[in-house]
Amino acid sequence: MANPLTFPTDAQPGSLRNRSQMALDNLIRRELKVGDPNDAEQIARALRSRYQNDTRAQAIAGEAQGLPFLQTPALQAPMAPTPTATHLDLEQAKDDVDQDLRQLLASNLTKDVRPELEGWQQNLHSLIDEGVAAARQGLDPHSRDRAFAARRHLGEYARLARLIGALTPALNDDYRNLAQSLDEISAVLLVLMGEALANAGFAGGRYLLQVPYSELQARRDQVLMALRDLSGVGQVAIDDDVYPRGRLAYRRLYKKLEEYGQGELRSLLNESELARTLDELIHTSGGGSPLGMRRLGSTAWGQLARFSRFVQVTLDQGQSNAPTLLAFQDALGLFSDGFASAGGFRLLRIARPSVLMYGLYGASALTNAEKRLMQIVNMRGQFASNIDCITRCTCDEGSIHLQIILDRILFGLDRAIDLYAVGKIDFGLPEQRAAAQGYLIEAFLKLNKKWGFNPPGNIMGNLEYDIKPFLIPSPDSVWDQSGEPPEGFKDLIHNELILQIQADREWRLIGRQMSSGCLPLDTIFKEPESE
């Protein structure tokens, strides 16, 4: 019996060559907008039109007219951009981090953990540079995700520095100063991402791509390749012992669409028509530009609904005996998912002054989620300033425990800000995950009634009345008429808190290694007691 995975060697080179030629022709048609990719004159005209403003192209055209090639206007060196307030804030924050690290490394009390601190220094410099570079490209979803990852990592370093400082009283101020400087960098990253949207002229648009522009091109090619495999065009050879499941499903699909009165969907089974439709969506996005995404947000719904309808109608045909049809459905669904609106527009609320929001960045009023986000951001700074003095005023065991708990709450507030910044609806999954930090505050306030801690300032009042109500909004405002939480809400909160406990466990070793051990780590990271 012949092996179904092998193909005749004489057919293989020609088939691969044909596939490569077809891909090249499609690329030329898509990028240069030519009808015949084999017509040299059409390609030459398209290239001249595409690069008509390029200096080298103008020099070549001048040489064709008899002018010397080198007598072209010299390009003026661009002027250095004027430093903005955010740029100055970033440089100041970087200098603060460097100075705080040097202070710790120069201290005689850290001689036993100097290699660890040098590792921090190297990693933090790399992390800050990566986060800043990603935040400046905040319009790109991949870069935006990388910036949020860098911000979280910086927050973890800040919390770890506060923890080690609380457990090492002689160096508490130095570690907390480093944590404060890392918080400054994290805050600037949020502002840089918001300014990336504002600098691109995003204005009132609320549509952000789910994936980078280059990823859309790759998904487009996957759809066409899956269609070729389904129709049999992409197969090199068919052995007599291989059952043609794909082409049988393709033939039945044509008939099924006709029977369902969905004949207009059959055009998606034509490669040239499908390629034109996919390219139209990609070109409408304008390479991810703000104007392109605003156009896309107002027009893409029609074609995306068509793709979704095709997948829904053909699902009953996607049986296990036709894997090529399943692959085509998945590839088409994956392409459509790339055009789903991504979260991130709320970054403008953080980065730009509220006085500019009317008109310049949309005439609509602030949503409830945006109001909660701005309140949490405002209260976060005040809360951080209030808790910094707890162990500076006194250093007994109770104060150290209280300091570590409040530092943990501060870390949770930063994560809640990140979740709200990427949310899209009033109380979706990101906002529900942020509510877990509110329940953590609620549990702490209940326990504190037994402990009787009375920290300076109005820390407890800020937590109970200024922060918790915005993390756990009133059920009347975010839940349905029955007053019941959304489906799966309790499980989501439970899973989020479990993830936080697991993350805390990873810090035991480094905390034990770098702190003076004035308190046993087991008393800090002990397992939660069930009541």
Side-chain angles (χ1 to χ4, degrees), residues 35 58 94 161 203 207 219 243 273 288 348 426 494:
Q58 294 172 358
K94 286 182 176 181
Y207 193 91
R219 294 187 181 187
Y243 190 76
E273 172 64 18
L348 281 172
D426 184 46
H494 177 265

Side-chain angles (χ1 to χ4, degrees), residues 147-161:
F148 274 112
R151 175 175 154 80
R152 181 184 180 91
H153 205 173
L154 288 170
E156 290 171 343
Y157 269 107
R159 185 190 167 200
L160 186 57

Side-chain angles (χ1 to χ4, degrees), residues 5 25 47 54 64-65 78 80 105 157 176 197 240-241 249 264 338 342 359 364 366 374 406 443 471 500 526 528:
L5 297 179
D25 290 347
L47 288 173
D54 187 89
Q65 298 174 4
L105 287 169
Y157 269 107
R176 295 195 74 84
L197 303 182
D240 291 337
D241 296 322
E264 49 96 10
S364 58
L366 288 174
M374 297 176 71
L406 293 176
L471 291 171
Q500 295 176 18
K526 64 181 180 180

Side-chain angles (χ1 to χ4, degrees), residues 36-79:
D36 184 4
N38 296 316
D39 190 335
E41 292 186 3
Q42 290 188 30
I43 294 178
R45 287 195 299 269
L47 288 173
R48 284 196 298 268
S49 175
R50 185 184 183 98
Y51 298 105
Q52 58 183 340
N53 295 324
D54 187 89
T55 305
R56 292 171 296 178
Q58 294 172 358
I60 293 174
E63 186 181 29
Q65 298 174 4
L67 299 175
F69 182 81
L70 295 178
Q71 289 187 2
T72 56
L75 291 177
Q76 294 285 339
M79 296 180 60

